[in-house]
Amino acid sequence: MTSTLIWIAVALVAIGLYLSWTAGRLDRLHARIDAARAALDAQLLRRASVTQELATSAVLDPAASIVLYEAAHAARQAEEEQREVAESELSQALRAVFAETAQVEAVRAAPGGEAAARELTEAVRRVPMARRFHNDAVRAARALRRHRKVRWFRLAGHAPFPLAFEMDDEPPAALSDRPA
C-alpha cells in the first residue's frame, strides 16, 4: 500500500514537472514572438522612414515622390488592424517606383542619392527576414498550443493566440539586383 502511494506520488511529481517544463517552453515561445514582433515593427518603421526621407529629398520625380510619401505615411500611421494592408501597399509602391534599374541609377546619380539608395536597399532587404523570424516563432507556438495537454491543462494561460504577420514584402527587383 505504501509503495503504491509512493509510486503514485512520483508519477504525479513527474507529470507536474513535465507540465511545468511545457508551460515554461510555451512562455519562452511567447517571449520570442514578442521580441520578433518588436524587431519586425522596427524594420517596418525603418523602411517607411527611409522611404519618406527619400520621397522628400527631391531626388525622385514629383509623381514618384508623392506615391512613395503617401504609401510610407499610411504605413506609419496605420492602426494595428490595417497594418498588414498598409505595409503591403508600401511594398507595391516601392516596386512600382523602382521597377526599372534606370530609376535606381537616377537616384544614385543625384547628390546624396548613393547613400539614400543603399539605406533603402538595406531596409527593404531586412523586412522579409524579420517577418520570417516572427512567423516562424508564431508557427512554433501555435504547434505547441495545439497539443491536447496544453489545452486541457490551460498551460497557455491568458496569452492571446499568436497571429502571423502576412504582407507582401517582395523587394523591388531593381533594388535587389545590385548588392548594397
Side-chain angles (χ1 to χ4, degrees):
M1 178 73 167
T2 308
S3 69
T4 305
L5 290 176
I6 290 173
W7 282 112
I8 290 174
V10 167
L12 288 176
V13 167
I15 291 170
L17 287 173
Y18 178 71
L19 291 176
S20 175
W21 176 80
T22 303
R25 181 172 169 230
L26 190 58
D27 186 51
R28 288 188 301 277
L29 282 172
H30 282 262
R32 191 171 121 202
I33 289 171
D34 291 342
R37 181 58 189 245
L40 175 61
D41 286 341
Q43 292 305 323
L44 291 172
L45 179 63
R46 181 172 184 250
R47 180 181 74 155
S49 297
V50 169
T51 302
Q52 275 187 320
E53 187 178 312
L54 182 64
T56 58
S57 68
V59 173
L60 299 169
D61 62 273
S65 293
I66 290 171
V67 167
L68 286 181
Y69 183 83
E70 287 181 356
H73 181 72
R76 289 182 72 176
Q77 300 298 320
E79 295 294 325
E80 192 61 35
E81 301 82 36
Q82 297 298 317
R83 183 98 187 265
E84 294 172 349
V85 173
E87 294 294 347
S88 293
E89 289 173 355
L90 177 56
S91 295
Q92 293 165 0
L94 284 166
R95 279 198 309 274
V97 170
F98 295 108
E100 298 177 10
T101 311
Q103 181 71 13
V104 177
E105 293 305 322
V107 169
R108 290 183 194 279
E114 184 71 34
R118 184 176 49 253
E119 194 173 357
L120 181 62
T121 301
E122 290 172 4
V124 165
R125 285 183 181 171
R126 289 180 180 166
V127 168
M129 286 187 293
R131 188 175 75 87
R132 195 172 313 119
F133 289 142
H134 175 267
N135 288 349
D136 287 346
V138 166
R139 196 172 310 118
R142 282 180 165 185
L144 185 57
R145 285 182 72 151
R146 277 195 287 268
H147 290 158
R148 268 186 235 127
K149 65 181 177 250
V150 173
R151 290 192 320 261
W152 287 351
F153 293 103
R154 292 183 167 84
L155 298 181
H158 297 289
F161 195 74
L163 299 174
F165 194 87
E166 297 300 330
M167 64 171 271
D168 175 6
D169 61 3
E170 184 179 335
L175 287 177
S176 60
D177 287 344
R178 184 174 167 178

